[in-house]
Amino acid sequence: EIIRGGFEYIQWMQSKIVELEKQKEENLPKIEFHDAVASTEGKRKIGDASKELKLLSPNKLFELLRNDHILMKDNLPYQEYISRGYFEVNVTEKNGYTFSTTYVTNKGLIWLQKKYDHIRLKEVV
């Protein structure tokens, strides 16, 4: 009886090892992405972020962020998301005109990856 119970336990442990290996394989790209982003400094435009994340096309990502009330109609982030450190806005003036550009921070890139992982594409369209 002890031997049989031991054999069943070994089979159970082997199935758990297989399950954990599968989870590791599935999570490895996310872990590598997170480590690569976390180890770099900087920011990128939203269009570049969409390509880096292999999310929707840049225009579709802008639309999604507006629909989710993360960006306003003018593609500037709401203060809440700037305060969280997900976005930065660079304001420049040229020939009497003021231009604002939204950038995604590394922290924001990781957040976007988690938030929109369900819509990731194999290739950017």
Side-chain angles (χ1 to χ4, degrees):
E1 171 111 350
I2 295 174
I3 294 173
R4 181 175 176 189
F7 181 71
E8 289 172 355
Y9 177 74
I10 289 171
Q11 285 182 319
W12 178 82
M13 286 298 292
Q14 287 175 334
S15 71
K16 283 294 177 191
I17 290 170
V18 169
E19 182 182 323
L20 290 172
E21 285 292 328
K22 183 179 176 188
Q23 286 178 359
K24 180 180 136 186
E25 278 184 42
E26 290 172 357
N27 289 326
L28 192 58
K30 294 176 187 178
I31 293 167
E32 289 172 346
F33 174 80
H34 181 274
D35 289 349
V37 169
S39 67
T40 61
E41 290 188 28
K43 54 191 178 184
R44 74 257 322 129
K45 291 182 178 180
I46 292 178
D48 294 333
S50 74
K51 292 175 188 172
E52 196 171 339
L53 291 170
K54 293 186 171 92
L55 289 171
L56 302 167
S57 69
N59 288 340
K60 292 286 185 184
L61 181 57
F62 274 109
E63 181 182 339
L64 184 65
L65 292 172
R66 286 190 300 269
N67 289 341
D68 286 347
H69 304 286
I70 296 166
L71 296 182
M72 295 180 264
K73 285 192 284 186
D74 58 3
N75 290 332
L76 294 177
Y78 285 96
Q79 183 61 47
E80 171 186 354
Y81 299 100
I82 294 172
S83 297
R84 290 181 185 181
Y86 300 153
F87 299 97
E88 291 180 10
V89 176
N90 187 20
V91 179
T92 56
E93 190 174 320
K94 186 174 181 180
N95 299 328
Y97 293 98
T98 303
F99 299 94
S100 299
T101 307
T102 300
Y103 291 92
V104 179
T105 65
N106 287 344
K107 183 178 180 180
L109 198 64
I110 292 167
W111 176 74
L112 286 171
Q113 180 197 31
K114 289 177 186 174
K115 183 167 181 62
Y116 295 118
D117 188 53
H118 63 283
I119 59 168
R120 291 174 62 87
L121 301 174
K122 299 272 188 256
E123 296 179 32
V124 175
V125 186

